[in-house]
Amino acid sequence: MSNPESFIDEVTEEVRRDRLFAIFRKYGWIGVVIVLGVVGGTAYNEWSKSKDAARAQAFGDAVLEAMDVGGAATRREALASIANDGGQKAILDLLLASDPAENRAETLAVLSSLAADASQPQTYRDLAVLRHTIVSGSDMPVADRRAALDPIAAPGRPFRPLALEQLAYLLIEDGKTEDAIAALRSLTQDQEAPAGLRRRAEQVIVALGGTVDTVANAG
C-alpha cells in the first residue's frame, strides 16, 4: 500500500506545482509591477530630494549674492529679480521689507501682500503682520494694531511672545501704565519668550517706574 500512496502523493505534488506555475504565469506580472513601482518610487524620491536641495542652494546663493551688492535700492532690485516659488516668495518678501527707512510705503505694501497671501505658510504671514504693525507705528490706529496682533498672541502661535510685547507697548500708548507693567512682568516669566525679550521687558518695566521680580527671573 505504501507504493500507491507514494505515487498519489507525487501526483498531488505535481498538480500543486503545475497550479502554482499557472498562477505565476497568470499573475506574476503583478509582482513585477509592484517591484518596479517600489524601485521607481525610491529612485523618484531620491531624485526629487536632490532637485529640491539644488533648488534651495541656488536660491540661497542668489539671495546672498543680491545682499552683497551696492546700496539698498540696488539690493532690492537684485532681490526682486530672483526666481522663486512657494515659501521662497515669502522669504524674499520679508527681505525686501527689512529696511523700511529706504522705502516705507513699498515695505508696507509688500508686508500687506504677504500677510493676505493664503498660499503662504501661516508662520510667514504672522511675521508679516507683526512687522507691518511695527513699521506702521502711530500712523496705524492703536485699535487696528491691537486687532492685527491679538490673533498672533494666541497660544501656540510661533510669534506669540513678540506679539504680546507689542500689545504691552500699545497699553503704554493708551496711557495704561499699570496694565503695561503687568503685561510686561508676565512676559518676564514666560518661558516661551526669548531671553533677550525678557530682558527688554524688564528694562521697560524699570523705565516705567515698576519693579522686577529678580528672584523669579534668576534662571
Side-chain angles (χ1 to χ4, degrees):
M1 294 293 294
S2 60
N3 288 337
E5 289 178 357
S6 177
F7 174 74
I8 292 172
D9 289 342
E10 290 178 5
V11 171
T12 301
E13 185 62 31
E14 285 297 327
V15 171
R16 288 175 179 170
R17 189 177 296 113
D18 288 343
R19 285 179 178 173
L20 184 60
F21 287 156
I23 290 173
F24 280 157
R25 283 196 297 270
K26 187 175 182 179
Y27 300 108
W29 64 272
I30 296 177
V32 174
V33 169
I34 291 174
V35 171
L36 290 176
V38 171
V39 174
T42 301
Y44 175 79
N45 285 337
E46 291 302 318
W47 172 80
S48 181
K49 288 178 183 178
S50 176
K51 181 181 178 182
D52 288 344
R55 183 172 62 87
Q57 182 173 347
F59 175 75
D61 290 344
V63 168
L64 290 175
E65 184 177 340
M67 296 295 288
D68 238 6
V69 300
T74 307
R75 285 196 300 272
R76 293 175 72 88
E77 290 179 6
L79 286 170
S81 68
I82 296 175
N84 62 86
D85 58 13
Q88 292 177 347
K89 180 182 182 302
I91 294 173
L92 279 179
D93 285 346
L94 290 169
L95 287 172
L96 286 168
S98 63
D99 190 7
E102 278 297 319
N103 195 327
R104 188 167 178 272
E106 183 178 344
T107 292
L108 290 173
V110 169
L111 291 171
S112 294
S113 176
L114 175 55
D117 189 348
S119 69
Q120 295 301 322
Q122 188 64 53
T123 299
Y124 292 143
R125 296 174 65 195
D126 281 358
L127 186 56
V129 171
L130 184 63
R131 182 73 176 149
H132 186 277
T133 59
I134 293 172
V135 174
S136 295
S138 58
D139 288 345
M140 186 178 183
V142 170
D144 291 347
R145 279 179 280 165
R146 183 174 287 113
L149 291 168
D150 276 339
I152 303 175
R157 299 291 273 266
F159 299 108
R160 171 181 163 274
L162 290 171
L164 288 173
E165 180 187 25
Q166 293 303 313
L167 287 169
Y169 295 158
L170 293 184
L171 290 171
I172 297 174
E173 282 192 47
D174 277 340
K176 300 177 180 178
T177 304
E178 292 303 319
D179 290 341
I181 289 175
L184 290 167
R185 187 174 286 127
S186 178
L187 263 179
T188 65
Q189 300 171 6
D190 190 334
Q191 295 306 307
E192 291 184 8
L197 190 155
R198 294 201 298 269
R199 286 193 297 271
R200 190 162 61 243
E202 291 175 355
Q203 292 168 356
V204 176
I205 289 172
V206 173
L208 292 174
T211 58
V212 178
D213 187 350
T214 55
V215 175
N217 295 299

